[in-house]
Amino acid sequence: MKNKTKVFFVTGTDTSVGKTVVTYLLSRRLQQEGFRVGIMKPFQCGGDDAAFLKKKLELEDDITDINPYFAKEPLSPHLAFQRQNMKINLSVLLDCFQRLCEEKDILFVEGAGGLMVPLKKNYYMIDLISDLNAHVIVVARTGLGTINHSLLTLQQLRQYALPIKGIIFNRSSRVKQGVAEKTNPDEVAEHGQVTVLGNIPYLRNVRTRKADDLVKETRRHIDIEKILEESKTLKAICRRRKRWDQEYLWHPFTQMQEWLMEDPLVIDRAQGSYLIDGMGRRYLDGVSSLWVNVHGHRHPVIDQMLQQQIKRLSHSTLLGLSNTPAIELARELVRITPVDLKKVFYSDNGSTAVEIAIKMAYQFWQNIGQKKKTGIAHLANSYHGDTLGGVSVSGIDLFHKVYQKIIFKTFQVDFPDCYRAPKGKSYPDYAFECLDQMDAFFKENARTLAAFVVEPIVQGAAGMIVWPQGVLTRMEEICRKHHVIFIVDEVATGFGRTGKMFACEHENAVPDILCVAKGLTGGYLPLAATITNQKIFDGFLFDYKDRKTFFHGHTYTGNPLCCAAALANIAVFKKEKVLQRLQPKIAYLEKRLKKFLNLKHVGDIRQKGFMVGIELVGNRQTKEPFPWERKIGARVCQAVRKKGVILRPLGNVIVLMPPLSISTQEIDQLLDSTYQAIQSETE
Ligand SMILES: *Cc1c(COP(=O)(O)O)cnc(C)c1O
């Protein structure tokens, strides 16, 4: 939020605890002290509190800004507005909020009911507080039940990490003060570790008496100084975090010399398809937080599953022991992956998943006595991760060339970048020509080749290169024919990315070993799995003394929290019919992407499901790339960030990879902003 208005959100431990009275008293008192005070009551269901406050506080703001959503029935907002056929639109509300902030020093926003009042699906009053960046004042009545209600409210606020200003007790009825009423403030302060800002006695005729009289009567019962007390402003906190980032952090794949000169964007929270920074600015997560997020951020099913798992077990080892989520997830993975796959080996990330596959394949042949089969083959422009094993089977020069002397030797198989087939060759014929060469090469080297590792259908990091139908099956055939273990790396393509659960399914390809990671936990936690068929597994069943065990394992292998997140992720696929609902969105994306060819520097648009690469070229006729130093991809992504969208390019290729849960409206935002950014940066 651009202005300096202090925003307080007044919420209650329950309905009818006196939020409006408290808002009224605080506002009037501050008006008396010379502050320009505003009020917002975003949702009102029954009653006339907003009009009352506007009148009594002599506010000139439009009543429709003070109260944009009004329902006649005194019900929970989501019900009240549904029954009036009214849709709650957050951006309308935020516009009113902005207008109100403009001329004020202080704005009080009054809730309706308590924190967990639903406003719409998966969005509660507490989410609104979070979105408004407000300090929270809790109002509680005194009496029996107050301790419980107050502590629950405080606990929930803390789970959301919201800044709690304090609690105000309000006697809303004239019943005699008993022990409970008298001890409530101290008890809540003690157990809730919260500041008591006030303890207001019962007030007669609030509605009809003069405001100034009420302020006088309550003056000594409300600690206005504590409310105004300058905690560190949000801006200062955000500035400090940026400084600390530059002081302490080393970022991956980042030239830190450049980073240190720039203003880092610090993400503080997220919701659905959006990432949110410390100041509350929202950014569409256009690359799913580096290709991992699936069902949106803070999905209630995954959140809840994790919360439950934390209360049971966070970690125990798989070395010599087992644990519940690891077992259940292994069974699920065997169920949802291609039929032949039977055994699950866990690790923590995509690179290790691939390394494990390679070690397994290598040792498999050693174990069964075919000692010469040691070679690993991969495509020349492949990407399988950044650990030395991953780098060994990758071929992206920029990332990997420097490590040449410390990685192991492999066989590189040429495969065309479909957009740049050599002169005189046409696509897709040329792709199959290359496969014939691969066949010949495998035939010649069958005695020494152990395994072939490949990203199926879409080669992600190479620039979203999409293969024609049939390539993957042909690769499988070649591997089978020459007894080469077929390792498929679905780290990027798995979990719905290409429109099917796994890219293999597009061609019914069946790997010997399958690697998954990125989307496995829905983008929540680092977890990977290397899944093998029975034959590979059996190649390790020997006597203990034979020393043919698979000697590999990471300390956090099969971590229960990660496995629980993955179980929830898979459950959501089923529960929300994610793949079915994805299909029209893929078609919509495809249709809208065509328009990008109007831009004269767009050379190629590649799409498979929700994996999109838009290749920018200096000259469309000659396909000549933009010069490397011009950093055109990075510049487009900088420009699009100013429009509230986060992207990360692959060189000159703009990558779009939104969460599968993105709405068509959000797809529009993503594409419109990207289009404009490409236009402005390439012209
Ligand atoms: C990202 C990626 C990896 C590496 O995964 P990390 O979790 O980053 O180690 C491996 N293979 C493919 C295809 C990938 O896209």
Side-chain angles (χ1 to χ4, degrees):
M1 311 287 150
K2 59 180 183 301
N3 31 45
K4 292 195 293 275
T5 314
K6 257 188 116 85
V7 180
F8 295 106
F9 197 103
V10 181
T11 187
T13 53
D14 199 349
T15 191
S16 306
V17 292
K19 289 190 299 293
T20 306
V21 174
V22 168
T23 305
Y24 177 32
L25 292 172
L26 294 179
S27 303
R28 189 59 187 179
R29 174 108 170 246
L30 291 167
Q31 277 182 334
Q32 284 181 358
E33 298 196 5
F35 290 98
R36 295 170 303 171
V37 180
I39 298 288
M40 185 175 193
K41 169 102 190 162
F43 301 97
Q44 185 170 317
C45 304
D48 67 340
D49 292 347
F52 166 76
L53 289 170
K54 174 173 159 66
K55 177 158 164 255
K56 285 287 200 173
L57 296 168
E58 297 161 26
L59 299 172
E60 283 168 11
D61 311 288
D62 288 343
I63 189 73
T64 49
D65 278 351
I66 296 176
N67 173 227
Y69 286 97
F70 177 78
K72 285 190 231 63
E73 293 179 288
L75 288 171
S76 169
H78 75 299
L79 273 179
F81 292 106
Q82 207 173 40
R83 286 163 61 95
Q84 260 179 230
N85 283 324
M86 248 176 110
K87 267 224 158 88
I88 293 174
N89 182 344
L90 248 121
S91 58
V92 169
L93 197 153
L94 291 175
D95 285 346
C96 298
F97 176 76
Q98 278 300 342
R99 275 196 294 276
L100 287 171
C101 280
E102 243 145 55
E103 298 288 314
K104 313 288 185 200
D105 304 310
I106 293 169
L107 182 73
F108 287 101
V109 183
E110 189 191 327
L115 297 177
M116 292 311 288
V117 166
L119 298 177
K120 47 190 194 174
K121 199 168 164 231
N122 292 338
Y123 195 86
Y124 300 85
M125 195 60 85
I126 195 163
D127 293 301
L128 178 65
I129 303 179
S130 175
D131 283 339
L132 296 181
N133 266 314
H135 288 263
V136 184
I137 296 173
V138 178
V139 179
R141 58 170 182 80
T142 49
L144 276 184
T146 294
I147 298 179
N148 176 51
H149 278 125
S150 304
L151 296 187
L152 283 173
T153 299
L154 293 168
Q155 186 183 36
Q156 187 68 356
L157 286 166
R158 287 187 177 125
Q159 280 202 2
Y160 272 65
L162 294 175
I164 302 167
K165 201 75 215 182
I167 188 164
I168 297 184
F169 294 93
N170 179 49
R171 276 187 72 195
S172 49
S173 78
R174 4 179 6 174
V175 284
K176 206 174 130 263
Q177 287 237 61
V179 176
E181 286 79 359
K182 284 182 191 147
T183 54
N184 278 163
D186 285 347
E187 290 295 320
V188 171
E190 160 82 18
H191 292 281
Q193 288 298 301
V194 67
T195 310
V196 176
L197 302 168
N199 188 5
I200 304 172
Y202 176 68
L203 298 170
R204 254 172 262 248
N205 305 327
V206 173
R207 293 233 155 200
T208 49
R209 283 168 67 192
K210 275 205 189 114
D212 292 343
D213 289 350
L214 289 165
V215 167
K216 200 165 167 191
E217 187 178 334
T218 54
R219 181 169 291 274
R220 68 191 177 85
H221 302 290
I222 297 176
D223 191 343
I224 205 81
E225 291 311 317
K226 272 215 186 100
I227 294 172
L228 287 179
E229 200 171 75
E230 202 50 59
S231 59
K232 284 223 166 55
T233 65
L234 205 55
K235 227 181 176 153
I237 295 172
C238 289
R239 230 181 290 127
R240 191 180 58 185
R241 273 191 214 129
K242 290 180 181 192
R243 225 178 35 238
W244 285 351
D245 170 286
Q246 294 183 322
E247 197 170 335
Y248 299 112
L249 265 179
W250 187 345
H251 288 264
F253 275 104
T254 302
Q255 178 41 263
M256 290 305 289
Q257 180 167 303
E258 249 169 36
W259 178 272
L260 294 175
M261 291 186 316
E262 283 161 13
D263 189 30
L265 173 55
V266 182
I267 299 303
D268 186 58
R269 49 191 192 271
Q271 174 76 57
S273 308
Y274 289 88
L275 298 165
I276 306 170
D277 74 7
M279 297 298 288
R281 271 181 292 256
R282 298 163 71 83
Y283 301 86
L284 189 62
D285 190 356
V287 286
S288 299
S289 295
L290 227 72
W291 314 3
V292 298
N293 193 280
V294 181
H295 309 298
H297 295 274
R298 279 172 55 200
H299 191 286
V301 172
I302 309 179
D303 282 13
Q304 201 183 31
M305 183 80 116
L306 269 174
Q307 274 158 8
Q308 286 174 0
Q309 186 57 42
I310 282 179
K311 297 280 183 238
R312 302 177 74 93
L313 170 69
S314 288
H315 186 66
S316 156
T317 182
L318 279 198
L319 279 69
L321 290 172
S322 199
N323 74 63
T324 311
I327 296 168
E328 285 175 4
L329 177 61
R331 183 168 179 272
E332 275 301 283
L333 287 173
V334 168
R335 190 180 66 77
I336 64 172
T337 47
V339 283
D340 279 10
L341 299 170
K342 301 284 188 222
K343 303 285 174 182
V344 176
F345 194 101
Y346 292 117
S347 61
D348 316 328
N349 58 73
S351 314
T352 53
V354 173
E355 262 191 62
I356 288 166
I358 292 170
K359 282 177 76 176
M360 280 175 174
Y362 174 89
Q363 193 180 338
F364 171 84
W365 296 116
Q366 298 299 305
N367 278 1
I368 66 168
Q370 299 222 30
K371 304 258 177 198
K372 291 226 171 85
K373 276 176 98 63
T374 56
I376 309 292
H378 61 92
L379 298 188
N381 57 353
S382 56
Y383 177 82
H384 297 288
D386 296 327
T387 55
L388 287 175
V391 172
S392 300
V393 291
S394 296
I396 297 176
D397 269 359
L398 175 70
F399 303 163
H400 302 140
K401 202 168 176 180
V402 58
Y403 307 109
Q404 238 168 21
K405 293 219 169 112
I406 51 166
I407 59 181
F408 65 82
K409 284 219 163 13
T410 56
F411 296 102
Q412 299 213 358
V413 175
D414 279 329
F415 195 74
D417 160 351
C418 44
Y419 178 52
R420 290 194 172 79
K423 264 212 170 69
K425 303 284 184 188
S426 72
Y427 207 77
D429 294 352
Y430 179 57
F432 289 96
E433 231 175 85
C434 289
L435 289 174
D436 290 342
Q437 286 166 24
M438 171 174 160
D439 188 20
F441 178 78
F442 274 35
K443 187 173 174 194
E444 199 176 312
N445 294 284
R447 268 183 347 108
T448 57
L449 262 180
F452 172 62
V453 50
V454 74
E455 299 164 78
I457 311 222
V458 187
Q459 288 185 268
M464 297 294 149
I465 293 170
V466 182
W467 297 343
Q469 180 79 16
V471 168
L472 186 65
T473 342
R474 180 88 176 97
M475 286 175 174
E476 185 189 347
E477 269 169 30
I478 296 170
C479 287
R480 302 255 170 264
K481 201 160 87 183
H482 304 298
H483 303 285
V484 172
I485 293 172
F486 184 44
I487 302 172
V488 172
D489 173 358
E490 290 238 27
V491 169
T493 51
F495 296 93
R497 265 298 142 202
T498 64
K500 297 202 183 261
M501 196 58 154
F502 296 101
C504 280
E505 293 170 33
H506 289 284
E507 302 192 10
N508 295 320
V510 184
D512 296 304
I513 307 181
L514 179 79
C515 305
V516 295
K518 289 191 171 92
L520 172 57
T521 60
Y524 270 61
L525 287 165
L527 178 70
T530 306
I531 312 169
T532 79
N533 62 18
Q534 191 68 40
K535 188 176 146 199
I536 300 288
F537 180 78
D538 288 347
F540 289 79
L541 300 181
F542 290 90
D543 269 357
Y544 179 78
K545 64 173 173 10
D546 294 334
R547 297 176 201 212
K548 290 182 173 180
T549 305
F550 187 50
F551 292 109
H552 187 110
H554 300 283
T555 318
Y556 277 100
T557 295
N559 173 263
L561 289 175
C562 300
C563 291
L567 278 166
N569 172 40
I570 295 168
V572 174
F573 268 100
K574 192 163 163 197
K575 179 165 173 258
E576 297 184 359
K577 299 191 169 59
V578 168
L579 292 174
Q580 196 179 324
R581 287 169 48 209
L582 184 61
Q583 305 312 318
K585 287 193 272 189
I586 292 173
Y588 182 72
L589 186 62
E590 186 180 351
K591 191 179 99 201
R592 285 226 39 195
L593 276 168
K594 292 212 168 79
K595 200 179 133 204
F596 280 72
L597 285 171
N598 295 344
L599 295 166
K600 71 171 195 277
H601 289 284
V602 168
D604 194 24
I605 299 170
R606 303 186 277 269
Q607 181 198 7
K608 187 78 187 176
F610 260 26
M611 295 178 92
V612 175
I614 301 169
E615 181 160 346
L616 305 178
V617 287
N619 181 322
R620 191 188 273 172
Q621 271 66 46
T622 61
K623 301 185 179 179
E624 184 190 319
F626 273 106
W628 166 249
E629 311 75 57
R630 190 158 157 196
K631 289 171 59 180
I632 191 71
R635 282 185 29 203
V636 168
C637 295
Q638 267 163 16
V640 88
R641 184 178 295 186
K642 296 203 184 88
K643 299 175 195 295
V645 173
I646 301 288
L647 295 181
R648 180 157 176 105
L650 288 162
N652 296 342
V653 177
I654 305 300
V655 174
L656 305 179
M657 236 210 238
L660 306 189
S661 55
I662 193 173
S663 68
T664 39
Q665 234 176 349
E666 289 162 352
I667 292 178
D668 285 340
Q669 186 197 346
L670 175 64
L671 293 186
D672 290 344
S673 308
T674 307
Y675 188 94
Q676 289 160 16
I678 294 176
Q679 191 165 38
S680 69
E681 292 306 308
T682 54
E683 262 156 29

PDB file of all heavy atoms in Angstrom, residues 291 348-352 354 383-386 455 460-461 489-493 517-518, ligand 1:
ATOM      1  N   TRP A 291       8.254 -24.310 -11.249  1.00  0.00           N
ATOM      2  CA  TRP A 291       7.692 -25.530 -11.821  1.00  0.00           C
ATOM      3  C   TRP A 291       7.178 -26.528 -10.785  1.00  0.00           C
ATOM      4  O   TRP A 291       6.978 -27.692 -11.094  1.00  0.00           O
ATOM      5  CB  TRP A 291       8.686 -26.249 -12.734  1.00  0.00           C
ATOM      6  CG  TRP A 291       9.436 -25.388 -13.722  1.00  0.00           C
ATOM      7  CD1 TRP A 291       9.371 -24.026 -13.857  1.00  0.00           C
ATOM      8  CD2 TRP A 291      10.361 -25.828 -14.730  1.00  0.00           C
ATOM      9  NE1 TRP A 291      10.189 -23.595 -14.862  1.00  0.00           N
ATOM     10  CE2 TRP A 291      10.816 -24.676 -15.417  1.00  0.00           C
ATOM     11  CE3 TRP A 291      10.837 -27.069 -15.123  1.00  0.00           C
ATOM     12  CZ2 TRP A 291      11.733 -24.751 -16.473  1.00  0.00           C
ATOM     13  CZ3 TRP A 291      11.753 -27.135 -16.161  1.00  0.00           C
ATOM     14  CH2 TRP A 291      12.185 -25.981 -16.827  1.00  0.00           C
ATOM     15  N   ASP A 348      15.472 -36.420  -1.979  1.00  0.00           N
ATOM     16  CA  ASP A 348      14.988 -35.083  -1.636  1.00  0.00           C
ATOM     17  C   ASP A 348      14.765 -34.133  -2.800  1.00  0.00           C
ATOM     18  O   ASP A 348      14.157 -33.096  -2.635  1.00  0.00           O
ATOM     19  CB  ASP A 348      15.984 -34.392  -0.682  1.00  0.00           C
ATOM     20  CG  ASP A 348      16.472 -35.324   0.405  1.00  0.00           C
ATOM     21  OD1 ASP A 348      15.695 -36.191   0.810  1.00  0.00           O
ATOM     22  OD2 ASP A 348      17.625 -35.180   0.830  1.00  0.00           O
ATOM     23  N   ASN A 349      15.313 -34.429  -3.956  1.00  0.00           N
ATOM     24  CA  ASN A 349      15.166 -33.488  -5.075  1.00  0.00           C
ATOM     25  C   ASN A 349      15.385 -34.199  -6.403  1.00  0.00           C
ATOM     26  O   ASN A 349      15.801 -35.358  -6.437  1.00  0.00           O
ATOM     27  CB  ASN A 349      16.139 -32.319  -4.927  1.00  0.00           C
ATOM     28  CG  ASN A 349      17.565 -32.790  -4.868  1.00  0.00           C
ATOM     29  OD1 ASN A 349      18.120 -33.205  -5.888  1.00  0.00           O
ATOM     30  ND2 ASN A 349      18.158 -32.771  -3.695  1.00  0.00           N
ATOM     31  N   GLY A 350      15.122 -33.480  -7.481  1.00  0.00           N
ATOM     32  CA  GLY A 350      15.185 -34.079  -8.809  1.00  0.00           C
ATOM     33  C   GLY A 350      16.563 -34.613  -9.153  1.00  0.00           C
ATOM     34  O   GLY A 350      16.697 -35.700  -9.739  1.00  0.00           O
ATOM     35  N   SER A 351      17.597 -33.862  -8.790  1.00  0.00           N
ATOM     36  CA  SER A 351      18.953 -34.295  -9.123  1.00  0.00           C
ATOM     37  C   SER A 351      19.274 -35.628  -8.456  1.00  0.00           C
ATOM     38  O   SER A 351      19.845 -36.530  -9.087  1.00  0.00           O
ATOM     39  CB  SER A 351      19.974 -33.255  -8.667  1.00  0.00           C
ATOM     40  OG  SER A 351      19.566 -31.966  -9.038  1.00  0.00           O
ATOM     41  N   THR A 352      18.926 -35.757  -7.191  1.00  0.00           N
ATOM     42  CA  THR A 352      19.227 -37.012  -6.501  1.00  0.00           C
ATOM     43  C   THR A 352      18.368 -38.147  -7.054  1.00  0.00           C
ATOM     44  O   THR A 352      18.834 -39.278  -7.156  1.00  0.00           O
ATOM     45  CB  THR A 352      19.012 -36.897  -4.980  1.00  0.00           C
ATOM     46  OG1 THR A 352      17.707 -36.392  -4.724  1.00  0.00           O
ATOM     47  CG2 THR A 352      20.038 -36.003  -4.341  1.00  0.00           C
ATOM     48  N   VAL A 354      17.541 -38.603 -10.074  1.00  0.00           N
ATOM     49  CA  VAL A 354      18.202 -39.074 -11.294  1.00  0.00           C
ATOM     50  C   VAL A 354      19.509 -39.795 -10.954  1.00  0.00           C
ATOM     51  O   VAL A 354      19.812 -40.859 -11.513  1.00  0.00           O
ATOM     52  CB  VAL A 354      18.456 -37.898 -12.266  1.00  0.00           C
ATOM     53  CG1 VAL A 354      19.288 -38.350 -13.458  1.00  0.00           C
ATOM     54  CG2 VAL A 354      17.142 -37.294 -12.725  1.00  0.00           C
ATOM     55  N   TYR A 383      18.763 -31.955 -19.534  1.00  0.00           N
ATOM     56  CA  TYR A 383      19.003 -31.374 -18.213  1.00  0.00           C
ATOM     57  C   TYR A 383      18.456 -32.332 -17.161  1.00  0.00           C
ATOM     58  O   TYR A 383      17.277 -32.679 -17.178  1.00  0.00           O
ATOM     59  CB  TYR A 383      18.326 -30.009 -18.060  1.00  0.00           C
ATOM     60  CG  TYR A 383      18.510 -29.453 -16.661  1.00  0.00           C
ATOM     61  CD1 TYR A 383      19.675 -28.788 -16.307  1.00  0.00           C
ATOM     62  CD2 TYR A 383      17.538 -29.654 -15.685  1.00  0.00           C
ATOM     63  CE1 TYR A 383      19.872 -28.315 -15.012  1.00  0.00           C
ATOM     64  CE2 TYR A 383      17.726 -29.185 -14.386  1.00  0.00           C
ATOM     65  CZ  TYR A 383      18.894 -28.520 -14.060  1.00  0.00           C
ATOM     66  OH  TYR A 383      19.090 -28.066 -12.792  1.00  0.00           O
ATOM     67  N   HIS A 384      19.317 -32.764 -16.254  1.00  0.00           N
ATOM     68  CA  HIS A 384      18.861 -33.699 -15.234  1.00  0.00           C
ATOM     69  C   HIS A 384      19.294 -33.301 -13.830  1.00  0.00           C
ATOM     70  O   HIS A 384      19.288 -34.120 -12.928  1.00  0.00           O
ATOM     71  CB  HIS A 384      19.346 -35.118 -15.563  1.00  0.00           C
ATOM     72  CG  HIS A 384      18.792 -35.647 -16.854  1.00  0.00           C
ATOM     73  ND1 HIS A 384      17.478 -36.027 -16.995  1.00  0.00           N
ATOM     74  CD2 HIS A 384      19.367 -35.821 -18.068  1.00  0.00           C
ATOM     75  CE1 HIS A 384      17.269 -36.433 -18.246  1.00  0.00           C
ATOM     76  NE2 HIS A 384      18.401 -36.318 -18.921  1.00  0.00           N
ATOM     77  N   GLY A 385      19.700 -32.055 -13.662  1.00  0.00           N
ATOM     78  CA  GLY A 385      20.012 -31.595 -12.306  1.00  0.00           C
ATOM     79  C   GLY A 385      21.418 -31.066 -12.152  1.00  0.00           C
ATOM     80  O   GLY A 385      22.229 -31.129 -13.081  1.00  0.00           O
ATOM     81  N   ASP A 386      21.721 -30.568 -10.970  1.00  0.00           N
ATOM     82  CA  ASP A 386      22.952 -29.810 -10.749  1.00  0.00           C
ATOM     83  C   ASP A 386      23.982 -30.483  -9.855  1.00  0.00           C
ATOM     84  O   ASP A 386      25.061 -29.935  -9.638  1.00  0.00           O
ATOM     85  CB  ASP A 386      22.612 -28.439 -10.165  1.00  0.00           C
ATOM     86  CG  ASP A 386      21.809 -27.618 -11.143  1.00  0.00           C
ATOM     87  OD1 ASP A 386      22.037 -27.776 -12.359  1.00  0.00           O
ATOM     88  OD2 ASP A 386      20.948 -26.846 -10.700  1.00  0.00           O
ATOM     89  N   GLU A 455      14.381 -36.943 -20.589  1.00  0.00           N
ATOM     90  CA  GLU A 455      13.159 -36.222 -20.200  1.00  0.00           C
ATOM     91  C   GLU A 455      12.096 -36.540 -21.261  1.00  0.00           C
ATOM     92  O   GLU A 455      12.346 -36.320 -22.442  1.00  0.00           O
ATOM     93  CB  GLU A 455      13.399 -34.709 -20.221  1.00  0.00           C
ATOM     94  CG  GLU A 455      14.461 -34.200 -19.281  1.00  0.00           C
ATOM     95  CD  GLU A 455      14.903 -32.781 -19.659  1.00  0.00           C
ATOM     96  OE1 GLU A 455      14.182 -31.831 -19.340  1.00  0.00           O
ATOM     97  OE2 GLU A 455      15.967 -32.648 -20.288  1.00  0.00           O
ATOM     98  N   GLY A 460      12.595 -29.642 -20.731  1.00  0.00           N
ATOM     99  CA  GLY A 460      12.297 -28.375 -20.067  1.00  0.00           C
ATOM    100  C   GLY A 460      13.406 -27.350 -20.152  1.00  0.00           C
ATOM    101  O   GLY A 460      13.310 -26.371 -20.899  1.00  0.00           O
ATOM    102  N   ALA A 461      14.484 -27.585 -19.408  1.00  0.00           N
ATOM    103  CA  ALA A 461      15.515 -26.569 -19.274  1.00  0.00           C
ATOM    104  C   ALA A 461      16.209 -26.243 -20.596  1.00  0.00           C
ATOM    105  O   ALA A 461      16.794 -25.173 -20.752  1.00  0.00           O
ATOM    106  CB  ALA A 461      16.541 -26.998 -18.225  1.00  0.00           C
ATOM    107  N   ASP A 489      13.030 -39.337 -16.820  1.00  0.00           N
ATOM    108  CA  ASP A 489      13.093 -38.268 -15.821  1.00  0.00           C
ATOM    109  C   ASP A 489      11.839 -37.384 -15.960  1.00  0.00           C
ATOM    110  O   ASP A 489      11.782 -36.492 -16.801  1.00  0.00           O
ATOM    111  CB  ASP A 489      14.381 -37.459 -16.060  1.00  0.00           C
ATOM    112  CG  ASP A 489      14.469 -36.219 -15.175  1.00  0.00           C
ATOM    113  OD1 ASP A 489      13.523 -35.956 -14.408  1.00  0.00           O
ATOM    114  OD2 ASP A 489      15.496 -35.507 -15.269  1.00  0.00           O
ATOM    115  N   GLU A 490      10.850 -37.687 -15.128  1.00  0.00           N
ATOM    116  CA  GLU A 490       9.610 -36.889 -15.146  1.00  0.00           C
ATOM    117  C   GLU A 490       9.601 -35.852 -14.032  1.00  0.00           C
ATOM    118  O   GLU A 490       8.550 -35.478 -13.534  1.00  0.00           O
ATOM    119  CB  GLU A 490       8.390 -37.818 -15.015  1.00  0.00           C
ATOM    120  CG  GLU A 490       8.139 -38.676 -16.236  1.00  0.00           C
ATOM    121  CD  GLU A 490       6.743 -38.478 -16.853  1.00  0.00           C
ATOM    122  OE1 GLU A 490       6.159 -37.380 -16.704  1.00  0.00           O
ATOM    123  OE2 GLU A 490       6.267 -39.437 -17.490  1.00  0.00           O
ATOM    124  N   VAL A 491      10.788 -35.413 -13.643  1.00  0.00           N
ATOM    125  CA  VAL A 491      10.873 -34.430 -12.562  1.00  0.00           C
ATOM    126  C   VAL A 491      10.048 -33.177 -12.916  1.00  0.00           C
ATOM    127  O   VAL A 491       9.296 -32.660 -12.091  1.00  0.00           O
ATOM    128  CB  VAL A 491      12.340 -34.063 -12.278  1.00  0.00           C
ATOM    129  CG1 VAL A 491      12.435 -32.859 -11.354  1.00  0.00           C
ATOM    130  CG2 VAL A 491      13.054 -35.255 -11.654  1.00  0.00           C
ATOM    131  N   ALA A 492      10.158 -32.723 -14.173  1.00  0.00           N
ATOM    132  CA  ALA A 492       9.414 -31.522 -14.573  1.00  0.00           C
ATOM    133  C   ALA A 492       8.032 -31.873 -15.116  1.00  0.00           C
ATOM    134  O   ALA A 492       7.058 -31.170 -14.864  1.00  0.00           O
ATOM    135  CB  ALA A 492      10.198 -30.749 -15.616  1.00  0.00           C
ATOM    136  N   THR A 493       7.942 -32.964 -15.872  1.00  0.00           N
ATOM    137  CA  THR A 493       6.699 -33.248 -16.604  1.00  0.00           C
ATOM    138  C   THR A 493       5.647 -33.956 -15.764  1.00  0.00           C
ATOM    139  O   THR A 493       4.476 -33.982 -16.146  1.00  0.00           O
ATOM    140  CB  THR A 493       7.004 -34.128 -17.835  1.00  0.00           C
ATOM    141  OG1 THR A 493       7.778 -35.249 -17.396  1.00  0.00           O
ATOM    142  CG2 THR A 493       7.769 -33.366 -18.895  1.00  0.00           C
ATOM    143  N   ALA A 517       9.879 -35.563  -8.935  1.00  0.00           N
ATOM    144  CA  ALA A 517      10.239 -34.653  -7.836  1.00  0.00           C
ATOM    145  C   ALA A 517       9.334 -33.422  -7.870  1.00  0.00           C
ATOM    146  O   ALA A 517       8.272 -33.425  -7.263  1.00  0.00           O
ATOM    147  CB  ALA A 517      11.712 -34.267  -7.895  1.00  0.00           C
ATOM    148  N   LYS A 518       9.728 -32.422  -8.632  1.00  0.00           N
ATOM    149  CA  LYS A 518       9.101 -31.085  -8.545  1.00  0.00           C
ATOM    150  C   LYS A 518       7.646 -31.031  -8.054  1.00  0.00           C
ATOM    151  O   LYS A 518       7.370 -30.466  -7.013  1.00  0.00           O
ATOM    152  CB  LYS A 518       9.231 -30.371  -9.883  1.00  0.00           C
ATOM    153  CG  LYS A 518      10.665 -29.939 -10.173  1.00  0.00           C
ATOM    154  CD  LYS A 518      10.755 -29.010 -11.353  1.00  0.00           C
ATOM    155  CE  LYS A 518      12.127 -28.404 -11.518  1.00  0.00           C
ATOM    156  NZ  LYS A 518      13.033 -29.142 -12.406  1.00  0.00           N
TER     157      LYS A 518
HETATM  158  C1  LIG B   1      14.452 -29.508 -12.242  1.00  0.00           C
HETATM  159  C2  LIG B   1      14.854 -30.732 -12.892  1.00  0.00           C
HETATM  160  C3  LIG B   1      15.771 -31.609 -12.287  1.00  0.00           C
HETATM  161  C4  LIG B   1      16.496 -31.263 -11.021  1.00  0.00           C
HETATM  162  O1  LIG B   1      15.629 -31.179  -9.940  1.00  0.00           O
HETATM  163  P1  LIG B   1      16.134 -30.440  -8.599  1.00  0.00           P
HETATM  164  O2  LIG B   1      15.018 -30.684  -7.640  1.00  0.00           O
HETATM  165  O3  LIG B   1      16.289 -29.004  -8.961  1.00  0.00           O
HETATM  166  O4  LIG B   1      17.393 -31.056  -8.193  1.00  0.00           O
HETATM  167  C5  LIG B   1      16.029 -32.794 -12.918  1.00  0.00           C
HETATM  168  N1  LIG B   1      15.435 -33.122 -14.067  1.00  0.00           N
HETATM  169  C6  LIG B   1      14.554 -32.311 -14.676  1.00  0.00           C
HETATM  170  C7  LIG B   1      13.902 -32.737 -15.947  1.00  0.00           C
HETATM  171  C8  LIG B   1      14.245 -31.080 -14.124  1.00  0.00           C
HETATM  172  O5  LIG B   1      13.398 -30.248 -14.740  1.00  0.00           O
END
